[in-house]
Amino acid sequence: MNENEISEFRSDVRAWLQDNKPAAPSFLLPETFMEVGTDQQFEFLRRWQQTVYEAGYLGMSWPEAYGGGGQPQVMQDIVNQEMAAQRVPFVPNTIGLNWAGPLILEMGTEADKQRYIKNILSAEDIWCQGFSEPDHGSDLGNAQVRAVKDGDEYVINGSKIWTSLGSYAKYMILIARTSNEGPNKYAGLSFFLAPMTADGITPTPIKKLTGEYGFCQTYFTDARIPADCMLGNEGEGWSVAMKTLMFERGAVGGQAGGLSMMDLNINDIVELARRATRNGRPAIEDPLTRDELVKLVLEAKGHVVMGSRARIPALGGTYPTAVAMSGKLRGTELKRKMTRFALSLQGANGARFISEAALDGGKWQRSYLNAFSGTIGGGTSQIQKNILGERVLGLPKS
Amino acid sequence: MIRFSEEQAMLLDTAREFCQKRAPIDVVRQAIQAGQPLDATLWQTMVDLGWLGVTIPETYGGLGLDLADTVPIFEAMGRQLLATPMLASTLATQVLITNGSDEQKAQWLPKIATGQIATLALTEANGSWESDQITTQLNQSAAGAMTLTGSKAFVLDAGVADVILVSALQDDALRWCLVDASDLPDGAIQREVVIDETRRSYSLAFSDLPIRADQVLPGTSFKKIELAAMLLITAEMSGGLEGVLAVIVDYLNTRKQFDRLIGSYQAMKHPTVDILMGAEMTRSYLYHAATVWRDETDDVAVESAVRMAKCCASEQFSEAGDRGIQFHGGFGFTYECDAQLFLRRALWGQYQFGDERHQRQKLAGLLF
Ligand SMILES: Cc1cc2nc3c(=O)[nH]c(=O)nc-3n(C[C@H](O)[C@H](O)[C@H](O)COP(=O)(O)OP(=O)(O)OC[C@H]3O[C@@H](n4cnc5c(N)ncnc54)[C@H](O)[C@@H]3O)c2cc1C
Ligand SMILES: Cc1cc2nc3c(=O)[nH]c(=O)nc-3n(C[C@H](O)[C@H](O)[C@H](O)COP(=O)(O)OP(=O)(O)OC[C@H]3O[C@@H](n4cnc5c(N)ncnc54)[C@H](O)[C@@H]3O)c2cc1C
């Protein structure tokens, strides 16, 4: 696409979003797919995803044969940017759209693609991820949920935990142990596209630190799933899981796109600093607060310019993968810092929580507590630092 | 948005290779030991490469490119701790280009392009450099004769310079004066002791130094020169940051304690990742500032971009240098450990033309 076509497309998208953006509901919407806690929230967001997909603004670069748009990636990128800029709600089927979907497109059979891709885009089938277990989170390679082959089925036993969207999902990307043999803990793992509808699979909601719901513990009790649900071969689960995490952390492309969380922009924090008061005056007038705000603006802006430099290979430097590999760490830590700072702008009112008396109904307090979903989920910040130290800098394993 | 021109990409490659070859760390150390004499052969090679004329208009024998195009050269020099008079000469060149008369340009720019050394005397003896804090005076007698009185500090390479551009107050207006180094009396130029031993830094004392009218530049643009200095020092710091990171990673991958490489300890690994992030961010801010410098006409945008870059570099490089010492244990405490060279370089850059606190203070006014 040339510059003219791009800017024309951008303004079309913008106009469509402005015309079709749903009116704010009477209830507080969640800000990320990991926070969907009520049926009301879920139905609202699912309808929004359907609308976006039907307008042709989701999966634009995925093959037409499976329900995608068959268009260049740049168009989806523009849609994503405009969705963030126009502050529309996010699309909830993130695990399907951005992790499971690209994975299936890359390594699924023709039948898998026909069966799953279109319904991922339309939000007909919601997907969840069964990786973490109560005793094995960061140490995912030690996962112990058992999958035992019995004829043309696998029988699953054990439990997965922190399953986002677990109560709404029709399918789960599941990593389970098919064998205890092999040279290391990774060798016995296999990867499944498991139907949540099978008997013996019970997602049980867990209350989050905010007091709301958002994820589940998923119990498997002699649950039987068809053997052809396996993606890749038996014993290859670890490498499939790693591939999934590359999609999840945004280290490689191929995602369907769409916002998976509400964009929190540093300008929102600056604007809040003008509105919120400390000691009876706008927080932004307090010299110490101002300095802290400049620091935060610099960090946020730094995040943006890093992305911009990453697009220029000649400026890659000694560690060309550093910027892409660190995006998850930087983005989620920045969000945590911004939301935490947002509370400090409110003086004594920083101590309020979701209620009418709180500034913006307590949105900032909720956002801060929820920000840990980013710094813990998908591999904690500490694990990200291990990865960067070892794979980018080449330091020895811990 | 960052744009990187063909010229910059080419200069980056050439400069990296050149600096690596010409300034390995033992050469840097030998130069320090010898009191940092000017390496005439090296200087001539740089002149032959055209580096001194990158920003000089073609009519005066230069390449006529933008100051932003020199950023890769300064970054490459910073990576190897190479300190040549190119920083001083390039900044003095900007003063002449933006403020000089045609005669002044014609007289000096071709000479600078071919290797005569020019420098800039901006900072006052008390450490202030901003336009409202200049105290050096350009006085005029009733008969019209002008003289210069005051003292300057942190004047790079003054001892080898042919010409010095001095900021001074004439009544209440700021002016630039061209001072021929050979016109200065004995003792007017004194070597200073600064924390970065790779620098040749001098103080200047002017006491009723006669100044002819043709030594006063017609232009009075000042801010842009201060920002140019920040941009180039940031480029050097970005390179230095990459250098100290390499020193740290190397040690973490070779030193063993408790039968393990110390890089396997997260107490070392995680802060080293923080340094990597700081280096990546500094470099991004640097090339962002270079892009804005070249493409943007809005003064506030240029000033913000440069100050953000200088702020980031000051904070991140000094922190990386600091950790670089600590991570070498007892060896880090020695003169022999290269980490000290980088820390001392970082501290010099941090405090020239405003550390991070200074920059944030300015940015608060620009941003909010
Ligand atoms: C909101 C939310 C949604 C989630 N959604 C899903 C989901 O949909 N599906 C799913 O499978 N999982 C999900 N997770 C789980 C998530 O991936 C795990 O919580 C995460 O990987 C950490 O595992 P853990 O909770 O067992 O913590 P642990 O691994 O027990 O970690 C505890 C602490 O120890 C630190 N630590 C652990 N190992 C190391 C090490 N080697 N070096 C340094 N520090 C270490 C960690 O950083 C952490 O601070 C979700 C989590 C959250 C918070
Ligand atoms: C000024 C000075 C005076 C001294 N005087 C004396 C003296 O009089 N007599 C004497 O015997 N000694 C003396 N020492 C030595 C001092 O005790 C050692 O330098 C110190 O114990 C560190 O050992 P090292 O230098 O071998 O560094 P190393 O042990 O090699 O450490 C290098 C780096 O690795 C880190 N590191 C090492 N192991 C671990 C780990 N397990 N986990 C995390 N990080 C780790 C260290 O923190 C350090 O940053 C002196 C040191 C100094 C600086």
Side-chain angles (χ1 to χ4, degrees):
Chain A
M1 286 175 92
N2 65 33
E3 298 244 344
N4 276 341
E5 289 167 332
I6 285 180
S7 72
E8 198 173 309
F9 178 67
R10 190 182 288 280
S11 49
D12 288 351
V13 175
R14 190 173 303 166
W16 186 86
L17 288 170
Q18 280 161 355
D19 291 347
N20 291 277
K21 177 179 178 171
S26 57
F27 49 91
L28 258 185
L29 273 178
E31 291 175 9
T32 81
F33 72 95
M34 291 174 283
E35 296 167 25
V36 182
T38 67
D39 295 352
Q40 206 177 27
Q41 291 173 337
F42 173 70
E43 288 307 334
F44 180 95
L45 293 166
R46 171 189 253 178
R47 257 198 314 280
W48 171 237
Q49 181 174 332
Q50 274 163 356
T51 310
V52 175
Y53 173 59
E54 281 159 16
Y57 289 142
L58 210 49
M60 297 183 78
S61 70
W62 282 7
E64 274 178 283
Y66 312 122
Q71 313 257 32
Q73 177 63 36
V74 56
M75 294 176 77
Q76 185 69 55
D77 292 344
I78 290 168
V79 171
N80 299 349
Q81 288 158 11
E82 286 302 316
M83 289 178 99
Q86 299 304 320
R87 301 300 164 105
V88 299
F90 64 91
V91 291
N93 202 12
T94 297
I95 297 173
L97 292 167
N98 298 329
W99 319 348
L103 188 70
I104 292 167
L105 283 174
E106 186 175 318
M107 40 180 315
T109 61
E110 181 60 27
D112 290 337
K113 294 176 195 173
Q114 295 289 358
R115 182 151 148 213
Y116 299 126
I117 296 298
K118 180 155 194 288
N119 287 351
I120 284 176
L121 290 168
S122 66
E124 175 71 27
D125 299 343
I126 299 298
W127 284 67
C128 67
Q129 180 187 40
F131 280 17
S132 306
E133 297 179 3
D135 292 337
H136 307 99
S138 297
D139 188 10
L140 177 62
N142 237 328
Q144 297 298 335
V145 163
R146 291 287 312 192
V148 179
K149 185 132 192 218
D150 182 24
D152 55 3
E153 289 178 326
Y154 278 91
V155 184
I156 318 286
N157 275 290
S159 89
K160 291 287 175 181
I161 197 164
W162 325 127
T163 325
S164 301
L165 295 168
S167 341
Y168 301 108
K170 185 151 166 206
Y171 294 102
M172 170 186 268
I173 42 175
L174 169 69
I175 183 152
R177 189 159 293 280
T178 41
S179 155
N180 279 320
E181 317 283 288
N184 55 43
K185 62 186 178 187
Y186 308 112
L189 295 171
S190 299
F191 197 100
F192 298 90
L193 308 174
M196 292 289 280
T197 44
D199 286 344
I201 303 184
T202 321
T204 311
I206 301 173
K207 208 172 194 174
K208 296 187 303 181
L209 77 171
T210 60
E212 303 161 300
Y213 289 88
F215 50 23
C216 295
Q217 182 159 5
T218 306
Y219 297 92
F220 298 83
T221 318
D222 292 327
R224 290 179 166 270
I225 61 171
D228 68 3
C229 289
M230 187 179 282
L231 191 66
N233 296 316
E234 206 174 276
E236 289 175 5
W238 181 250
S239 73
V240 185
M242 288 304 99
K243 204 173 281 229
T244 316
L245 288 178
M246 294 299 270
F247 291 122
E248 175 173 349
R249 293 172 187 157
V252 294
Q255 293 84 346
L259 280 193
S260 56
M261 52 188 68
M262 295 305 290
D263 184 48
L264 175 65
N265 194 292
I266 186 66
N267 295 332
D268 301 338
I269 305 291
V270 176
E271 189 262 335
L272 185 69
R274 296 188 200 282
R275 274 195 293 138
T277 55
R278 280 173 68 94
N279 306 320
R281 290 175 49 202
I284 201 161
E285 290 174 14
D286 166 44
L288 294 184
T289 303
R290 248 172 117 76
D291 193 45
E292 292 301 316
L293 186 58
V294 176
K295 286 185 193 169
L296 212 52
V297 169
L298 282 173
E299 191 172 335
K301 178 94 184 153
H303 191 53
V304 175
V305 291
M306 271 162 100
S308 180
R309 178 168 67 83
R311 289 191 280 277
I312 300 170
L315 285 176
T318 319
Y319 303 107
T321 55
V323 175
M325 296 272 287
S326 61
K328 195 257 178 196
L329 174 69
R330 288 182 284 116
T332 58
E333 288 293 336
L334 175 63
K335 183 165 182 190
R336 183 180 61 80
K337 285 186 210 166
M338 288 199 289
T339 50
R340 187 182 190 189
F341 182 71
L343 269 55
S344 80
L345 296 172
Q346 303 172 26
N349 288 317
R352 293 190 184 277
F353 200 55
I354 307 170
S355 58
E356 270 194 23
L359 190 62
D360 298 333
K363 163 188 150 77
W364 299 102
Q365 282 78 3
R366 189 184 72 161
S367 290
Y368 170 47
L369 297 187
N370 274 328
F372 293 95
S373 62
T375 59
I376 297 172
T380 68
S381 294
Q382 288 70 38
I383 296 297
Q384 299 305 311
K385 285 196 178 178
N386 286 347
I387 293 174
L388 288 163
E390 289 159 23
R391 300 218 205 118
V392 176
L393 290 174
L395 294 174
K397 273 198 153 309
S398 300
Chain B
M1 187 67 151
I2 295 177
R3 270 182 289 271
F4 196 55
S5 69
E6 291 275 311
E7 283 89 354
Q8 284 174 314
M10 249 162 53
L11 278 172
L12 182 62
D13 283 347
T14 325
R16 278 191 168 245
E17 209 187 299
F18 177 84
C19 295
Q20 254 165 32
K21 207 174 318 159
R22 301 301 288 262
I25 205 85
D26 52 315
V27 170
V28 170
R29 283 185 175 275
Q30 280 158 19
I32 291 174
Q33 196 142 37
Q36 217 49 24
L38 179 69
D39 180 342
T41 330
L42 178 79
W43 184 244
Q44 191 53 50
T45 320
M46 291 169 63
V47 172
D48 294 343
L49 283 167
W51 287 359
L52 276 302
V54 174
T55 64
I56 293 177
E58 284 166 294
T59 39
Y60 301 117
L63 300 176
L65 298 175
D66 194 275
L67 183 71
D69 295 310
T70 67
V71 160
I73 303 179
F74 286 100
E75 199 192 18
M77 295 203 297
R79 170 69 183 79
Q80 302 298 126
L81 298 173
L82 180 58
T84 74
M86 180 165 166
L87 179 59
S89 268
T90 306
L91 290 174
T93 298
Q94 305 319 300
V95 178
L96 281 164
I97 291 173
T98 40
N99 295 298
S101 67
D102 289 345
E103 293 76 25
Q104 287 162 337
K105 290 183 200 176
Q107 186 187 355
W108 284 105
L109 292 179
K111 291 184 187 163
I112 295 174
T114 51
Q116 286 209 11
I117 294 168
T119 189
L120 198 61
L122 209 51
T123 308
E124 297 288 325
N126 72 356
S128 303
W129 70 91
E130 294 196 284
S131 48
D132 56 353
Q133 290 168 19
I134 299 300
T135 50
T136 296
Q137 295 284 335
L138 181 61
N139 298 314
Q140 195 157 19
S141 71
M146 286 184 288
T147 56
L148 192 63
T149 298
S151 15
K152 295 281 186 179
F154 298 107
V155 184
L156 286 177
D157 301 296
V160 291
D162 299 288
V163 61
I164 305 167
L165 285 138
V166 184
S167 62
L169 265 186
Q170 187 180 35
D171 301 325
D172 281 334
L174 210 68
R175 302 308 295 256
W176 290 104
C177 301
L178 255 168
V179 174
D180 204 315
S182 57
D183 290 345
L184 287 172
D186 281 352
I189 304 183
Q190 295 284 340
R191 184 80 180 253
E192 289 172 331
V193 181
V194 292
I195 198 157
D196 176 5
E197 293 183 299
T198 65
R199 301 284 173 190
R200 280 172 290 262
S201 187
Y202 296 82
S203 65
L204 299 185
F206 308 107
S207 159
D208 294 324
L209 181 77
I211 298 287
R212 295 182 313 274
D214 65 4
Q215 284 175 272
V216 180
L217 275 60
T220 55
S221 149
F222 192 84
K223 183 73 143 283
K224 196 89 198 240
I225 303 303
E226 185 195 353
L227 294 175
M230 287 180 206
L231 179 67
L232 299 190
I233 290 172
T234 299
E236 282 194 348
M237 292 176 94
S238 173
L241 198 36
E242 194 186 340
V244 72
L245 178 60
V247 170
I248 292 171
V249 168
D250 187 48
Y251 200 64
L252 263 56
N253 270 326
T254 44
R255 173 74 172 170
K256 277 192 176 170
Q257 286 292 282
F258 307 98
D259 300 320
R260 303 188 59 173
L261 290 169
I262 57 170
S264 68
Y265 299 118
Q266 291 182 356
M268 311 290 282
K269 183 181 290 174
H270 289 190
T272 305
V273 169
D274 293 339
I275 294 170
L276 169 68
M277 294 296 100
E280 295 294 332
M281 195 184 272
T282 299
R283 189 146 204 248
S284 306
Y285 265 129
L286 169 65
Y287 283 97
H288 174 255
T291 305
V292 172
W293 182 280
R294 199 186 39 208
D295 296 354
E296 194 45 86
T297 48
D298 175 26
D299 288 343
V300 173
V302 175
E303 182 174 350
S304 304
V306 172
R307 289 195 187 280
M308 285 183 183
K310 176 66 169 63
C311 182
C312 185
S314 299
E315 187 173 3
Q316 301 297 338
F317 189 18
S318 60
E319 175 66 10
D322 176 288
R323 296 295 81 197
I325 303 295
Q326 179 67 21
F327 291 175
H328 283 78
F331 179 47
F333 203 69
T334 68
Y335 196 72
E336 192 193 335
C337 177
D338 291 336
Q340 60 93 358
L341 296 173
F342 286 97
L343 174 60
R344 294 172 72 155
R345 167 59 74 93
L347 293 167
W348 184 88
Q350 181 181 24
Y351 295 118
Q352 288 295 304
F353 303 108
D355 62 8
E356 58 272 32
R357 213 183 303 149
H358 174 91
Q359 303 302 346
R360 286 202 306 268
Q361 209 169 24
K362 299 279 174 187
L363 282 165
L366 292 166
L367 293 170
F368 313 134

